[in-house]
Amino acid sequence: MGVSKAVLGEPTIIEAMIQGGVQFIADSRIENIQKMKKAGISTRFVLLRTPLSQAESIVINVDISLNTEIETLKKLSHYAKAYNKSHEVIIMVELGDLREGVLPCDLSQFVEKTLSLPHIKIVGIGGNLACYGGVKPDNKNMHELSKLTDTLEKKFQIRLEIISGGNSANYKWFKSAGDIGRINNLRLGESILLGRETVNRKAIPGLHTRAFQIIAEVIESKKKPSLPYGKICQDAFGNIPDFQGRGIHQRAIVALGRQDIQMSGLKPDNKLEILGSSSDHIILDSNDHKLKVGDEVKFDLDYSGLLSAMTSPFIRKQFTDRKNRAAA
Ligand SMILES: *Cc1c(COP(=O)(O)O)cnc(C)c1O
């Protein structure tokens, strides 16, 4: 499954994922799925997060949803009946990371209750690690998921089509595990988009790690002291700032701020140094760069940078492909 949430289901990017061979597109937000469908994208859509209040819209818009609560499944069944449909679900199992998941000891009973809902079809089970608790996917927890699959299939005489082992953090396990057991699916966002696995953030061979860049405009470039002068109070975000003196130096300000981007997710792609930021400005030590007003400054993005930049309505998204770049 290609996971589209970090790029808000941007159709150009999602088309590329589908051309790349993913069989499903998964997103956490129904709005993104609606956007992709409106853009004419045709695939099996999976919803990664399933709020009770959106049950009707989920039944209408989504092929498969990930679930952990009977209340929600009942409501999905109710609307599936109303729309004369069968709604497919993957039951998420807790494997230790303590985000979503039915505890393994409660799984049988949970599946039994789900099977009694006439308009719900269980198509698989899944696990999610390395999100909240930072727990690594390994042979032990993946084997547990495989074993639970066998147990459920046997006990209820059902066939589970999708055994979804996890997210981009599963790449390393998948490449190194000799035996992947029953796991036949991963839900991959960051590793496809940014070309890195997410346990050690190592580059994946053959993938681009700089497919996304953000470009900001220089709006001021001056030599200034490095230490503020006057009485110090709280800054715009309620912190008392602390500065290192580095004498008079060349500073540049770019028109990009915390309203657009998570600052920790931004990496200058050259010798610029980020000194600080406010809602609408980033202050750079521009060293030997002779930046002029109107110049462009490029930054690389990590996952939080990509997520926030894609979400900002102030950032214009522009796509280039190899063909266009060669022509340019
Ligand atoms: C976001 C998400 C993913 C994808 O995570 P990546 O680290 O981007 O691969 C997979 N599964 C679930 C349940 C998610 O919420």
Side-chain angles (χ1 to χ4, degrees):
M1 294 180 184
V3 175
S4 50
K5 67 193 182 199
V7 294
L8 280 70
E10 187 61 52
T12 313
I13 299 170
I14 302 317
E15 286 288 9
M17 276 192 185
I18 292 172
Q19 277 178 26
V22 301
Q23 291 180 26
F24 306 81
I25 291 294
D27 202 294
S28 51
R29 316 268 170 162
I30 195 118
E31 294 83 353
N32 292 342
I33 291 177
Q34 283 169 323
K35 174 160 96 185
M36 290 183 272
K37 293 184 105 165
K38 222 169 152 189
I41 292 179
S42 159
T43 183
R44 272 170 100 184
F45 284 105
V46 178
L47 188 66
L48 297 168
R49 187 190 69 172
T50 307
L52 184 68
S53 65
Q54 293 184 331
E56 182 172 7
S57 177
I58 291 166
V59 164
I60 296 171
N61 290 289
V62 171
D63 300 295
I64 303 173
S65 60
L66 271 45
N67 284 275
T68 60
E69 291 287 355
I70 283 293
E71 273 316 295
T72 309
L73 286 162
K74 280 184 182 159
K75 196 124 182 231
L76 289 169
S77 180
H78 167 83
Y79 282 111
K81 180 171 184 225
Y83 287 94
N84 198 21
K85 279 186 166 185
S86 165
H87 181 71
E88 300 188 332
V89 300
I90 293 175
I91 309 289
M92 294 300 280
V93 183
E94 178 59 62
L95 296 173
D97 199 59
L98 301 184
R99 208 179 73 178
E100 72 273 42
V102 177
L103 289 164
C105 59
D106 299 332
L107 189 61
S108 267
Q109 208 187 11
F110 189 90
V111 165
E112 190 169 2
K113 281 190 194 148
T114 307
L115 286 170
S116 75
L117 300 170
H119 293 267
I120 297 292
K121 178 165 187 248
I122 303 178
V123 292
I125 64 171
N128 191 61
L129 293 163
C131 261
Y132 170 73
V135 173
K136 245 194 209 174
D138 58 20
N139 282 335
K140 188 160 178 276
N141 44 42
M142 288 300 103
H143 180 66
E144 184 181 6
L145 193 60
S146 284
K147 230 174 50 190
L148 289 166
T149 307
D150 291 338
T151 309
L152 292 176
E153 286 188 342
K154 211 163 172 193
K155 178 157 185 191
F156 297 106
Q157 293 296 303
I158 52 174
R159 176 76 193 160
L160 298 171
E161 174 201 349
I162 301 168
I163 319 302
S164 190
N167 53 48
S168 294
N170 282 61
Y171 175 82
K172 204 166 164 253
W173 164 80
F174 173 73
K175 290 300 276 187
S176 63
D179 175 14
I180 57 166
R182 295 289 309 270
I183 313 299
N184 62 9
N185 174 273
L186 295 176
R187 309 175 304 275
L188 304 175
E190 179 167 353
S191 54
I192 295 177
L193 297 167
L194 296 177
R196 292 178 191 280
E197 54 82 37
T198 57
V199 169
N200 301 308
R201 296 253 149 32
K202 282 223 178 82
I204 295 174
L207 298 195
H208 245 290
T209 54
R210 297 175 72 196
F212 294 88
Q213 292 211 305
I214 189 163
I215 299 173
E217 181 185 339
V218 175
I219 56 168
E220 183 183 301
S221 179
K222 293 183 193 307
K223 277 199 165 31
K224 285 192 186 182
S226 49
L227 292 173
Y229 42 91
K231 286 214 177 75
I232 299 294
C233 62
Q234 292 185 353
D235 69 11
F237 292 91
N239 309 306
I240 307 273
D242 186 24
F243 295 98
Q244 283 180 342
R246 53 176 86 182
I248 303 279
H249 66 151
Q250 187 67 40
R251 293 160 79 96
I253 300 177
V254 294
L256 183 69
R258 292 197 208 179
Q259 189 161 15
D260 306 296
I261 195 142
Q262 172 83 32
M263 284 301 143
S264 61
L266 210 54
K267 294 172 277 179
D269 75 338
N270 43 30
K271 295 198 175 60
L272 300 166
E273 185 188 343
I274 297 175
L275 295 172
S277 62
S278 59
S279 311
D280 314 297
H281 301 82
I282 297 175
I283 299 101
L284 300 165
D285 183 328
S286 49
N287 290 312
D288 313 328
H289 287 266
K290 303 251 175 316
L291 290 175
K292 300 187 308 294
V293 170
D295 279 354
E296 290 180 345
V297 174
K298 274 188 194 164
F299 300 88
D300 285 344
L301 297 165
D302 72 4
Y303 189 75
S304 71
L306 176 65
L307 191 65
S308 49
M310 288 302 296
T311 308
S312 170
F314 303 105
I315 292 178
R316 193 158 52 87
K317 284 79 181 176
Q318 193 175 310
F319 305 98
T320 48
D321 60 31
R322 274 226 178 94
K323 254 192 333 241
N324 290 344
R325 237 187 338 217

